[in-house]
Amino acid sequence: MSSGTVYTGRIWDVRSDTFELAEGTGALERDYVDHPGAVAVVPMDEAGRILLLRQYRHPVGMDLWEIPAGLLDMEGEPNLAAAARELAEEADLAADTWNVLADFFTSPGSSSEAIRVYLARGLTEVPHHERHERTDEEAEIEFAWMDLDEAVRAVMEGRLNNPSAVVGILAARAARDDGFASLRPGDVPWPAHPAQR
């Protein structure tokens, strides 16, 4: 197998790999986005509402309702620590209970991006003097607390279509329906992530 970077971007690169599926079957070549991966968080309050953020996403040219999320782009930062950082930076919240809701690949035919979605409960506000200063698109974020069942309806009606939010909301509903008993701990390993195998 050979592998090389054919494009270097600000956030991710494009790689070109030559490989065989099995010995003697012939070489295949594939180009794909080499992505560091990301974490996303469904913040849930004591009333069972979840926090959604609305922000502009340029590639699709529209504002999307989302959940707090961010890249795994800090060397050596554990997945759960990255999720807690993103929750604080994007939503001014901290949580004392963390569980994994779902792990998924966003577009496995063209990207190595893997996303882990967490459920954060036991929420408290980050003190004003410790809050992250949001810039660029994040400076325009709008916040809305929504009942989980209404969020599920928004997904099913096509009103909410950010992939991390869709996966997180549907997983949170399934988890709630079994009393959250099937959830994994927040610090469980993530062996499917390409960089963590």
Side-chain angles (χ1 to χ4, degrees):
M1 177 176 145
S2 65
S3 182
T5 301
V6 295
Y7 170 79
T8 302
R10 284 183 293 225
I11 297 174
W12 47 73
D13 302 333
V14 175
R15 297 193 66 80
S16 184
D17 290 353
T18 303
F19 62 97
E20 286 185 330
L21 289 176
E23 188 173 342
T25 59
L28 299 173
E29 293 183 31
R30 297 291 183 267
D31 296 342
Y32 61 95
V33 174
D34 187 16
H35 195 286
V39 290
V41 183
V42 176
M44 181 179 284
D45 70 9
E46 292 181 1
R49 300 178 306 163
I50 63 168
L51 181 66
L52 296 174
L53 318 177
R54 185 178 181 179
Q55 65 177 317
Y56 177 70
R57 292 300 188 181
H58 186 70
V60 295
M62 62 187 293
D63 292 324
L64 296 179
W65 285 102
E66 305 181 346
I67 55 177
L71 297 171
L72 290 170
D73 57 357
M74 296 182 69
E75 186 71 31
E77 183 179 42
N79 304 319
L80 182 54
R85 175 176 53 79
E86 291 296 340
L87 181 63
E89 289 179 1
E90 293 196 352
D92 302 323
L93 294 172
D96 63 20
T97 302
W98 290 88
N99 293 101
V100 174
L101 281 170
D103 299 325
F104 70 101
F105 296 112
T106 56
S107 184
S110 61
S111 173
S112 65
E113 182 179 19
I115 296 183
R116 170 162 278 184
V117 185
Y118 291 90
L119 178 65
R121 293 174 292 165
L123 302 175
T124 56
E125 290 191 4
V126 173
H128 284 277
H129 68 279
E130 295 178 15
R131 292 185 179 179
H132 174 75
E133 183 178 346
R134 292 187 282 272
T135 60
D136 302 322
E137 292 95 340
E138 290 184 351
E140 305 298 319
I141 285 177
E142 299 175 38
F143 299 92
W145 286 96
M146 183 178 285
D147 178 79
L148 180 58
D149 291 328
E150 173 57 27
V152 170
R153 281 192 293 275
V155 170
M156 302 308 291
E157 293 170 1
R159 294 183 283 122
L160 199 157
N161 38 41
N162 169 273
S164 299
V166 169
V167 170
I169 288 166
L170 297 180
R173 168 69 175 277
R176 185 196 67 188
D177 288 351
D178 80 350
F180 304 104
S182 61
L183 292 179
R184 295 170 283 164
D187 60 356
V188 69
W190 189 3
H193 189 296
Q196 298 180 27
R197 291 179 190 159

